[in-house]
Amino acid sequence: MRKIDLIKTEVQSVKWFMDRIKNGTLVIDHSYQRQFVWGIKEQVRLIETILLGFSIPEVYIWMVDTNPDTGDSVYSIVDGQQRLTTVREFINGKFKLNSGYLSDEGSSIYTDKTFSELDPEDKKAIWDYPFSTRVIKRDMEKDDIIKMFLRLNSTDKQLNPQELRNAEFSGLFFKLADEISQQPFWNNYKIFSPLQLRRMSDIEFISQILIFLREGISGETTQKYLNHVYDKYNDKYDEYADDKKTIIDMLNEMDKIMKISEDTTAFFRRKTHLYSFLIIIYYMLEKGLNISDYHKKIDYFVKYYNENVDLGLSQNDKKTIREYREYALEGTQSKARRVARIRLIKSYLDI
């Protein structure tokens, strides 16, 4: 049977979707997309579009099950999470129609209104708004659903490569990266902003550390290579437990370094420095070094990097830090620059 024969087109109202989200028969599957992503501008523009009666892209839902007792079908949102979540948030009073984001002259009547403040006719227009809906029958395989999601979003700039990987690879490598992202270190030091967390920047950063553990410092961090590693360790990852313990040990040591001073805390919030020194910590742990013995020199490294403060460092140390700064200011994802930064830190710490 052709895939197209497993998809039918229906028109469903906002009310139909909201009722099913509320009663649990329409669910958001985070294996496609981790969290809600849109900002207030995109949210306001969508509600404005609905109020003006213009069309919006169709929604894809997958019939995943039927309750044998009630006969109610259970659907999963394949594509349309942002649109449906935005409508629900607006109806629940979570945001207003900020005038700065309304784009049509005729929208001035909605300025700064919440859903409860709209005229009754406008409320009805939202509840009755017809979503063109593609309903995928439950006969379609999950792998085909994922392929469909990726194809639908392959040219959508709103989804970044890591979000697309989240849909395509749901195996062991992603699972470990996600587990490590739950470690308190990241939140304690606000390494990632709320937006970066929604866009899965933390998962991508942790994935790069995992690549180092599996492939070494010469391993690439390009998007293409990340996809390759996700695929390679998707179903079989023998080093899973060891890598998890290693990274937690690395984060515990970095936590101590962050607490040395306000300077080190601010310095290592920058991902380039954090990545570089986490790798250094790995080498130090492998050698059985007492990393606390190097805290003072790391603090001096940060202070000289930031302010060129003369703390009694040798001329060679100062030169090394200046070189590191050059490699950290641009092209930070370049393999050659990454390798150079690691080499320079090793030289400075004499490890």
Side-chain angles (χ1 to χ4, degrees):
M1 181 181 292
R2 297 181 307 160
K3 298 296 187 294
I4 193 65
D5 295 327
L6 297 176
I7 303 173
K8 61 179 179 178
T9 302
E10 298 179 354
V11 175
Q12 300 291 359
S13 68
V14 164
K15 173 66 172 171
W16 186 91
F17 280 103
M18 296 303 107
D19 284 348
R20 276 151 187 78
I21 291 174
K22 186 175 182 179
N23 67 25
T25 57
L26 179 64
V27 297
I28 295 173
D29 188 343
H30 290 298
S31 66
Y32 300 112
Q33 200 166 338
R34 188 189 194 186
Q35 299 181 42
F36 185 64
V37 172
W38 278 6
I40 187 63
K41 178 179 179 180
E42 291 86 1
Q43 292 177 287
V44 170
R45 290 286 176 86
L46 179 77
I47 301 301
E48 179 188 26
T49 299
I50 290 174
L51 286 168
L52 293 174
F54 296 144
S55 64
I56 60 178
E58 57 194 1
V59 170
Y60 282 72
I61 60 177
W62 180 26
M63 184 188 295
V64 293
D65 200 5
T66 298
N67 186 310
D69 297 319
T70 66
D72 292 331
S73 296
V74 179
Y75 301 91
S76 173
I77 302 171
V78 175
D79 195 65
Q81 176 194 157
Q82 311 300 317
R83 281 153 277 168
L84 295 174
T85 303
T86 291
V87 175
R88 184 183 61 181
E89 295 279 272
F90 183 66
I91 289 173
N92 290 338
K94 296 299 179 65
F95 67 93
K96 63 183 179 180
L97 300 176
N98 188 302
S99 59
Y101 300 126
L102 294 170
S103 61
D104 192 280
E105 291 182 4
S107 300
S108 59
I109 59 173
Y110 310 127
T111 296
D112 294 331
K113 289 186 177 181
T114 61
F115 177 79
S116 64
E117 295 170 332
L118 291 175
D119 292 339
E121 290 303 312
D122 290 325
K123 291 180 182 178
K124 290 179 185 178
I126 291 178
W127 285 117
D128 294 339
Y129 184 84
F131 273 93
S132 179
T133 308
R134 298 273 187 162
V135 181
I136 307 164
K137 298 180 181 179
R138 61 171 171 262
D139 299 327
M140 188 176 285
E141 298 293 332
K142 179 69 178 267
D143 287 347
D144 290 324
I145 300 293
I146 291 173
K147 289 176 184 177
M148 179 183 295
F149 176 84
L150 294 172
R151 183 169 293 277
L152 287 168
N153 291 282
S154 61
T155 58
D156 186 349
K157 294 181 180 178
Q158 291 178 351
L159 291 184
N160 64 36
Q162 184 57 48
E163 290 169 311
L164 292 173
R165 267 192 295 275
N166 181 44
E168 187 172 3
F169 305 103
S170 57
L172 295 173
F173 193 86
F174 173 80
K175 181 183 177 184
L176 180 52
D178 189 51
E179 280 189 34
I180 294 169
S181 75
Q182 307 305 316
Q183 289 294 310
F185 173 88
W186 313 104
N187 184 56
N188 288 347
Y189 295 105
K190 301 295 185 291
I191 302 299
F192 299 95
S193 69
L195 177 59
Q196 288 174 326
L197 290 173
R198 291 198 298 271
R199 302 309 301 265
M200 305 185 76
S201 297
D202 56 333
I203 297 294
E204 182 166 333
F205 180 85
I206 293 165
S207 296
Q208 292 174 350
I209 302 294
L210 288 172
I211 284 179
F212 163 75
L213 295 184
R214 291 297 96 232
E215 311 288 319
I217 191 61
S218 60
E220 297 283 356
T221 57
T222 62
Q223 298 300 336
K224 182 178 180 181
Y225 196 78
L226 273 170
N227 288 341
H228 162 73
V229 174
Y230 264 71
D231 185 47
K232 181 177 179 180
Y233 296 100
N234 193 58
D235 300 319
K236 183 175 169 44
Y237 192 167
D238 293 336
E239 303 85 0
Y240 188 106
D242 290 340
D243 285 356
K244 180 178 180 179
K245 181 183 183 304
T246 297
I247 291 190
I248 290 175
D249 289 344
M250 291 161 64
L251 292 178
N252 287 338
E253 292 296 337
M254 179 54 73
D255 179 72
K256 298 172 188 175
I257 292 172
M258 297 286 271
K259 292 174 179 174
I260 293 174
S261 67
E262 291 182 3
D263 288 333
T264 57
T265 301
F267 182 78
F268 290 112
R269 282 200 182 104
R270 183 176 170 189
K271 314 302 185 299
T272 300
H273 304 319
L274 181 59
Y275 175 89
S276 300
F277 275 79
L278 279 171
I279 304 308
I280 292 298
I281 288 172
Y282 168 82
Y283 287 128
M284 297 173 84
L285 289 172
E286 284 288 288
K287 290 187 174 183
L289 299 175
N290 184 350
I291 298 175
S292 298
D293 293 341
Y294 294 81
H295 282 187
K296 182 176 181 180
K297 196 160 189 184
I298 291 172
D299 189 34
Y300 283 7
F301 181 100
V302 171
K303 286 182 168 61
Y304 188 79
Y305 180 100
N306 286 336
E307 304 171 22
N308 290 334
V309 176
D310 191 341
L311 299 164
L313 294 172
S314 68
Q315 291 302 315
N316 187 58
D317 282 346
K318 293 177 183 177
K319 179 176 179 293
T320 299
I321 297 171
R322 288 195 298 269
E323 284 187 45
Y324 173 91
R325 186 192 292 124
E326 292 176 6
Y327 283 109
L329 290 178
E330 59 182 43
T332 55
Q333 291 298 318
S334 159
K335 181 170 73 173
R337 286 179 171 272
R338 188 172 69 250
V339 171
R341 290 196 301 272
I342 301 301
R343 171 181 55 80
L344 289 166
I345 301 169
K346 279 185 171 182
S347 174
Y348 171 79
L349 294 176
D350 192 25
I351 60 173

